Amino acid sequence: MVDFRRCITALAILALFAGLAAAQIGPQQQLVCATNVTVTPNLRGEGYTEQTGDITLNCTGGVTPTLGSVVPTVNITVFYNTQVTSRLLPQSASNSISEALLLIDEPGSGLPPTVPGYGPAAAQNLCATPTTGCTQFVSAANVSGAPIGGIPVATDTALGLFVPPGTPATNTRNVFQGVVSSNSVTFFGIPVLAPGTTASRVFRITNVRVNANPLAGGSASGASPVTASISISGATSLLITNATPTVGFVTNGLSAKVSTTTTFNQCATQTKSFATLVQFSENFGTAFKTRVAAQSNTSYAGQAGAPLSPPQNVPGGIYNSESNLVVPIATGQVAGLADYGTRLKATFNNIPAGVRIFVSTANVLNGNFPVVAPAVPGGSAANTGTTGYAQLVNGETTSDGASSGFFPSITATDNGPNNGNVPIAEVPITNGSGLAVWEVVNTNPSTSETFSFAVYTTYSANVAQNSPPAGTSTVNLSYAPTPPIFTASAGAAASSTLTIPRFISDPSAARNFAVIQICRTILLFPYVTNQAGFDTGLEIANTSLDPFTTGSNTTLAQAGSCRMTWYGGTTTAPTTPPGPSDTGSIAGGTIYVNTAQTLVPNFQGYMIAVCNFQYAHGFAFISDVGARNLAMGYLAVVLPDPGTNGRAAAPGACLGVTGCTSAGEQDAH
């Protein structure tokens, strides 16, 4: 019994000392990771595929496993408060493998390494099995100043204690692809080698894109946060100091408008006549971006594809481009590379038959003068000024290509007015609609820019054939591409086939930019009466049929009706005018005749007739009934058309009269 009690006492004392030892080294054994988002970017609220800020986990502490053992692994899942839309790069193991990457110890960053050839000095080596991760072993590097036993490193094979660079730097996996599911991305089998107290281990999560649109306008401050929630499971534990970092703020990136709405007359032929400017303004300095960051002053360096030279692959680098960290994955697969830079789209609607639309092939100062093109379009030197540069391209989703120097621009086919200063190209119109797309090739992220593009119209007037028909043409302005080139639901989800970036359709109502008004004549009959025994005879002649049928004087007979609006009243209602009257169609070379007694019995006042044809003339004849005692007549006044230049108080010859020249029709008789 005594021996048993002594044994129990000894075990209790041993347990006490063991507990004290654990309490003393507990903080060192715990692997603690501090979360950081170095740059919290602005995300465009119109974007389906907006880049979020990189998340870094800077981990210290923990106990290094036994030399030669397998490094413990964890699964790291990041949940976002909106859909993850990073490009999918399918493999046989899963169609949900994506361009989202997790990097260990900032490979390729150029930062000073603790172990030569490892950590920041290592090449970026991809784990080829993203659904399971890659097995790594605990090795130790015996370098100057290292503690006894060396500095632990993870390697593909167990190297024991070695002296760098006695092993190839490729003997470690440090780049892992994420698997996307709805609003989350998971990195499987991530080796977590505790660095102890003398070093740190950095895990960087990058290339995560999200659908920013559901968060647009959701905050009273005007910017809604994109938040991430980090979950870790597996063979080891990580204490995260901030598991819910903010990785971006969403606000609308684009304001768009037309500079003016121009009115054209149906009967006046137009040749490359200025219609409006379509104007795109960024709401913050990085709302417009090039495809990649131009790192040389060579043609279209900012529109180059993989392989990039120099590469865009420094972890934590700030590139201000549509692409992020660009890393080759497999043949035909590249993580982080966008298909093109920011594109701006004008969708023209309700274009009348016979009307042609032209646009400037680059941004302009106004309808007469273009901006000065950069000496090297797309090169780095032109990204520092205050005026960016954008060029017309041949589609919403056409890729910029795979090499520097290529760009899918549309070559100008003509020049605009003012002695041909503005290069232009025609917009194909189908069923009354067409679109023009420009891509930003040079932009300064430090300033908010506005890109203006000129719109011109051409048509041949043929009033006799009602060509072009009257109407109002509109334009929608947005980023590109947008639905209907893909469905909104598909655009808002991760995809392996859709291009990046992509955006919502124009959320604003279409803007009027051109109005073709019917050719007309406005006649004023200043005195009409059917009171006190008098009546007024009214005549309107359509004189568009004439002998001038050749050369520039060709008139062409027109036909149309006149709407007569009465101002005044009747004997029973002196201040209430009767409703409008209509003549019906008056053919060219014919006249319309009627009386006030028939049209507006007991009326006295004046009347304005709006005739839907040119060259209308009117005559009024006032007499007592039967014209036995008193009679007089007058010619109706031809008023300037308020739809063109406004109705002047003292009209001069031809002021605003449709079809009038200084030697032709007059305003009054």
Side-chain angles (χ1 to χ4, degrees):
M1 178 65 72
V2 173
D3 292 339
F4 175 74
R5 289 176 178 174
R6 288 177 178 173
C7 182
I8 291 296
T9 302
L11 289 174
I13 294 172
L14 180 61
L16 174 62
F17 278 104
L20 290 173
Q24 291 172 353
I25 67 173
Q28 297 177 357
Q29 290 179 331
Q30 180 67 59
L31 187 59
V32 179
C33 299
T35 306
N36 187 39
V37 179
T38 306
V39 176
T40 310
N42 285 323
L43 280 65
R44 297 163 293 195
E46 303 91 342
Y48 285 132
T49 54
E50 294 298 287
Q51 300 175 36
T52 60
D54 288 5
I55 300 172
T56 59
L57 302 176
N58 195 318
C59 304
T60 58
V63 176
T64 303
T66 305
L67 197 66
S69 64
V70 174
V71 177
T73 61
V74 298
N75 299 331
I76 301 177
T77 300
V78 185
F79 297 91
Y80 293 82
N81 60 335
T82 186
Q83 191 91 354
V84 174
T85 55
S86 297
R87 191 194 303 274
L88 299 182
L89 303 174
Q91 298 179 15
S92 58
S94 172
N95 290 328
S96 298
I97 298 169
S98 75
E99 65 175 350
L101 302 177
L102 184 147
L103 284 70
I104 301 177
D105 287 344
E106 310 286 50
S109 65
L111 296 172
T114 304
V115 176
Y118 286 81
Q124 293 172 354
N125 300 314
L126 181 71
C127 172
T129 52
T131 58
T132 59
C134 288
T135 300
Q136 300 281 274
F137 295 89
V138 180
S139 300
N142 189 9
V143 297
S144 176
I148 297 175
I151 296 176
V153 293
T155 55
D156 289 347
T157 57
L159 301 177
L161 181 64
F162 67 95
V163 178
T167 178
T170 57
N171 192 27
T172 183
R173 303 298 108 181
N174 51 23
V175 179
F176 297 79
Q177 290 176 263
V179 178
V180 169
S181 176
S182 185
N183 68 324
S184 70
V185 57
T186 300
F187 302 92
F188 291 98
I190 305 302
V192 179
L193 179 59
T197 58
T198 59
S200 64
R201 184 81 58 233
V202 178
F203 300 91
R204 176 179 294 274
I205 297 170
T206 188
N207 285 358
V208 178
R209 296 178 181 270
V210 298
N211 175 15
N213 184 245
L215 303 178
S219 170
S221 65
S224 301
V226 180
T227 57
S229 300
I230 305 170
S231 171
I232 296 178
S233 61
T236 189
S237 62
L238 280 72
L239 176 62
I240 301 176
T241 58
N242 176 20
T244 56
T246 295
V247 294
F249 291 94
V250 177
T251 184
N252 285 335
L254 179 66
S255 295
K257 65 179 183 178
V258 296
S259 63
T260 188
T261 302
T262 301
T263 298
F264 299 97
N265 284 324
Q266 182 192 50
C267 51
T269 293
Q270 305 293 326
T271 302
K272 296 180 294 185
S273 298
F274 175 76
T276 194
L277 297 177
V278 290
Q279 298 177 309
F280 302 85
S281 299
E282 54 182 348
N283 293 335
F284 48 86
T286 55
F288 298 162
K289 309 173 187 180
T290 54
R291 183 190 192 187
V292 296
Q295 300 184 62
S296 64
N297 195 37
T298 56
S299 293
Y300 301 110
Q303 289 69 50
L308 292 173
S309 180
Q312 184 169 305
N313 65 349
V314 177
I318 300 174
Y319 295 108
N320 290 319
S321 67
E322 294 288 2
S323 302
N324 197 356
L325 189 77
V326 180
V327 177
I329 298 298
T331 302
Q333 292 186 339
V334 181
L337 181 64
D339 294 284
Y340 34 76
T342 303
R343 289 184 172 174
L344 307 170
K345 180 173 68 169
T347 303
F348 299 98
N349 313 297
N350 198 35
I351 306 301
V355 174
R356 301 167 66 189
I357 298 295
F358 295 83
V359 296
S360 59
T361 56
N363 45 316
V364 299
L365 298 174
N366 51 50
N368 294 323
F369 296 99
V371 299
V372 177
V376 183
S380 58
N383 290 331
T384 58
T386 57
T387 302
Y389 193 63
Q391 290 181 277
L392 189 68
V393 294
N394 62 9
E396 291 189 69
T397 58
T398 305
S399 174
D400 281 350
S403 61
S404 178
F406 171 80
F407 185 68
S409 59
I410 292 179
T411 303
T413 56
D414 204 343
N415 290 291
N418 196 40
N419 298 320
N421 283 314
V422 179
I424 62 175
E426 186 168 3
V427 176
I429 302 296
T430 302
N431 297 325
S433 296
L435 60 87
V437 179
W438 299 267
E439 181 174 334
V440 175
V441 296
N442 287 106
T443 180
N444 184 349
S446 299
T447 184
S448 294
E449 297 165 319
T450 294
F451 288 80
S452 299
F453 306 97
V455 181
Y456 308 91
T457 187
T458 290
Y459 62 82
S460 296
N462 187 345
V463 178
Q465 299 298 320
N466 191 36
S467 179
T472 299
S473 297
T474 63
V475 62
N476 287 97
L477 304 175
S478 67
Y479 287 114
T482 71
I485 202 167
F486 51 81
T487 65
S489 59
S495 172
S496 62
T497 57
L498 297 182
T499 55
I500 288 176
R502 50 188 185 268
F503 301 90
I504 64 168
S505 299
D506 180 11
S508 302
R511 303 147 185 87
N512 298 341
F513 78 93
V515 177
I516 295 180
Q517 66 177 16
I518 194 167
C519 286
R520 63 186 183 181
T521 311
I522 302 176
L523 302 176
L524 168 63
F525 292 81
Y527 184 66
V528 178
T529 183
N530 182 228
Q531 293 183 8
F534 287 88
D535 196 8
T536 305
L538 300 169
E539 180 266 352
I540 297 176
N542 181 343
T543 69
S544 63
L545 183 63
D546 60 28
F548 308 109
T549 58
T550 60
S552 61
N553 291 321
T554 299
T555 302
L556 298 177
Q558 306 167 28
S561 64
C562 299
R563 181 179 176 87
M564 296 177 286
T565 304
W566 311 92
Y567 298 89
T570 63
T571 53
T572 57
T575 60
T576 303
S581 307
D582 195 283
T583 64
S585 182
I586 305 173
T590 66
I591 62 174
Y592 167 84
V593 178
N594 215 321
T595 65
Q597 182 177 11
T598 302
L599 295 171
V600 282
N602 301 315
F603 171 80
Q604 183 167 285
Y606 66 93
M607 181 266 287
I608 293 178
V610 178
C611 299
N612 291 329
F613 52 86
Q614 293 175 280
Y615 313 113
H617 292 275
F619 179 75
F621 183 79
I622 303 173
S623 71
D624 58 338
V625 177
R628 294 186 298 269
N629 301 310
L630 296 172
M632 61 87 64
Y634 65 86
L635 293 174
V637 178
V638 180
L639 296 180
D641 192 334
T644 54
N645 293 316
R647 182 181 176 186
C654 295
L655 183 60
V657 179
T658 301
C660 176
T661 65
S662 59
E665 306 287 354
Q666 300 299 309
D667 289 335
H669 301 277

